[in-house]
Amino acid sequence: YGNFIDDLRVYVRGGTGGMGYPRLGGEGGRGGDVWFVAQERTTLKSIKNRYPQKRFVAGTGANSSVKALKGEKGKDCEVHVPVGISVLCDDGRQIGELNAAGERFLAARGGLGGSLVTNFLPCKGQRRIVHLDLKLIADVGLVGFPNAGKSSLLSKISHAKPEIANYAFTTVQPELGKIMYADYKQISVADLPGLIEGAHANKGRGHKFLKHVERTKQLLLVVDISGFQLSVKTRFRTAFETILLLTKELELYKQELLTKPALLAINKMDLPHAKDNLNELMKQLQNPEDYSHLLQEEMIPANTLEFKDIVPLSAYTGEGIEELKACIRKCIDEEAEQENEEYRRKKLLLLRTSE
């Protein structure tokens, strides 16, 4: 995964409360709290570099005294984390999410100060180990097997400059790019490490890839028209088989992923026999059940992905790139309009019920 970090294990501890003052019934101050605050342009890597110990401890509450019978609260500890963070316990249970800049999550509460209830003795703060799990937030997620040409496509449609090489597993870390339109509209696109068969079972980069798909608004499947073979030991897969296998991997990881709007980009149309292969693929996509016998039964997805648009293109020559950008824009705009419509309907319903 190179230098990219999408999971960080940290220790958090709330501050201890201050001592009470038994003679005058004084109360010690509460211990400080540890907060995670979502902030733009922050990465888990920068947190790791800045705090190599990965320990975050809040301040201790002030003791009660003759001058101040009620002690002051301890200083809070604020940790700036990237947007798109899920906070997990050590057992994998999710306890919080931060999806927008400025959102806050209480990671560890400070202990109570000494008072009559606690026999004037202070309480220790909450302590625990938590995982900061990052899932990229993007409008479009590129999904495809290695060498389908996702990185080349991303560099063509956006201003991203991913490193591209001529071997499988080229992309070793997620890349984010932005498509810029003439009216200044921007759409973010995430190119994620290539899936392989068995990714749902964590083969290859399995879950490290698939978890990032969860937060994208729509999927863009990128398929090599001439088919795909990972190595000499694995079977050759046609473009149609590749689409079914990608769908199966998404389905086995999380079935809800198949409910996302999806587009299909058929890449490498500049290769010989690409037109014949495309005609064959379109025939197969019209009646997928007639051709599903090409795969073993356990590899056939229960539900097929419904593609809003199918765009043949060549990331090498640039053919079909503008058409793809227009399709992505149309799909995103339609989704936004649908969300606005639902929001308006809910508001209208609330107004009617309140009347």
Side-chain angles (χ1 to χ4, degrees):
Y1 239 143
N3 291 326
F4 181 80
I5 297 173
D6 56 6
D7 181 73
L8 194 65
R9 190 168 178 261
V10 297
Y11 172 81
V12 288
R13 191 179 84 208
T16 307
M19 291 287 287
Y21 202 115
R23 202 148 51 90
L24 300 174
E27 276 185 30
R30 252 195 68 210
D33 305 317
V34 179
W35 292 89
F36 292 144
V37 184
Q39 192 181 54
E40 300 281 1
R41 294 193 179 89
T42 305
T43 63
L44 291 180
K45 189 170 188 288
S46 66
I47 296 172
K48 191 181 177 186
N49 291 344
R50 200 171 166 195
Y51 307 100
Q53 300 292 320
K54 296 180 284 184
R55 288 171 63 85
F56 300 99
V57 181
T60 307
N63 294 335
S64 171
S65 65
V66 177
K67 289 179 186 172
L69 286 177
K70 178 103 173 102
E72 277 189 27
K73 184 178 184 288
K75 194 181 177 196
D76 285 351
C77 171
E78 283 195 356
V79 187
H80 291 129
V81 298
V83 175
I85 282 287
S86 297
V87 186
L88 312 174
C89 281
D90 228 8
D91 60 3
R93 190 167 43 88
Q94 186 173 312
I95 51 174
E97 257 189 338
L98 298 161
N99 290 327
E103 283 189 8
R104 297 164 67 84
F105 172 75
L106 181 59
R109 197 182 291 279
L112 292 172
S115 64
L116 187 64
V117 180
T118 64
N119 206 15
F120 298 99
L121 295 170
C123 300
K124 286 183 176 176
Q126 188 181 10
R127 63 178 75 192
R128 58 183 168 190
I129 287 168
V130 294
H131 286 264
L132 300 176
D133 190 45
L134 176 69
K135 291 176 189 169
L136 293 178
I137 298 174
D139 297 314
V140 182
L142 299 187
V143 179
F145 284 141
N147 280 32
K150 300 192 308 301
S151 298
S152 305
L153 183 60
L154 184 70
S155 61
K156 272 277 193 245
I157 62 175
S158 76
H159 293 277
K161 291 182 174 61
E163 286 179 27
I164 300 161
N166 188 25
Y167 48 85
F169 281 135
T170 315
T171 311
V172 291
Q173 63 186 54
E175 285 280 352
L176 273 175
K178 273 194 165 55
I179 308 176
M180 313 285 279
Y181 291 89
D183 60 353
Y184 302 106
K185 163 95 174 171
Q186 294 183 12
I187 289 175
S188 56
V189 183
D191 169 27
L192 305 145
L195 278 168
I196 61 167
E197 286 177 42
H200 67 275
N202 225 2
K203 279 187 191 168
R205 288 193 170 80
H207 288 187
K208 274 197 178 295
F209 160 85
L210 285 163
K211 71 172 186 179
H212 292 297
V213 183
E214 288 179 51
R215 290 220 178 132
T216 54
K217 289 179 187 168
Q218 70 179 47
L219 306 176
L220 173 58
L221 266 70
V222 185
V223 172
D224 185 336
I225 188 60
S226 55
F228 169 69
Q229 186 171 16
L230 183 66
S231 70
V232 286
K233 292 179 183 174
T234 57
R235 284 183 61 177
F236 172 79
R237 301 293 186 192
T238 64
F240 175 70
E241 289 173 344
T242 304
I243 293 165
L244 291 186
L245 287 168
L246 286 170
T247 308
K248 185 69 176 175
E249 290 304 332
L250 294 170
E251 181 183 87
L252 288 171
Y253 176 70
K254 201 167 262 190
Q255 213 153 1
E256 300 90 82
L257 292 178
L258 299 188
T259 61
K260 288 181 185 285
L263 296 170
L264 175 62
I266 301 165
N267 194 13
K268 306 193 183 179
M269 287 303 294
D270 52 290
L271 294 176
H273 311 298
K275 291 273 190 294
D276 299 339
N277 290 339
L278 179 64
N279 293 336
E280 179 66 22
L281 176 61
M282 296 309 272
K283 248 194 297 180
Q284 291 170 326
L285 286 172
Q286 276 165 1
N287 301 300
E289 56 283 345
D290 296 350
Y291 298 92
S292 52
H293 65 271
L294 298 168
L295 283 172
Q296 292 157 313
E297 205 171 319
E298 66 271 14
M299 289 181 170
I300 300 163
N303 301 297
T304 49
L305 266 173
E306 293 290 324
F307 296 112
K308 292 207 162 195
D309 269 303
I310 297 173
V311 185
L313 57 87
S314 167
Y316 180 68
T317 63
E319 173 204 341
I321 294 294
E322 288 307 313
E323 192 191 335
L324 177 67
K325 283 161 80 168
C327 285
I328 291 171
R329 172 75 186 264
K330 186 173 150 230
C331 197
I332 290 282
D333 288 349
E334 279 174 6
E335 281 299 303
E337 188 51 45
Q338 217 172 322
E339 279 175 22
N340 289 341
E341 193 54 49
E342 279 175 26
Y343 178 75
R344 282 197 289 269
R345 240 181 294 159
K346 279 179 188 171
K347 278 279 184 196
L348 204 63
L349 198 67
L350 277 170
L351 281 167
R352 281 176 184 161
T353 49
S354 61
E355 281 167 11

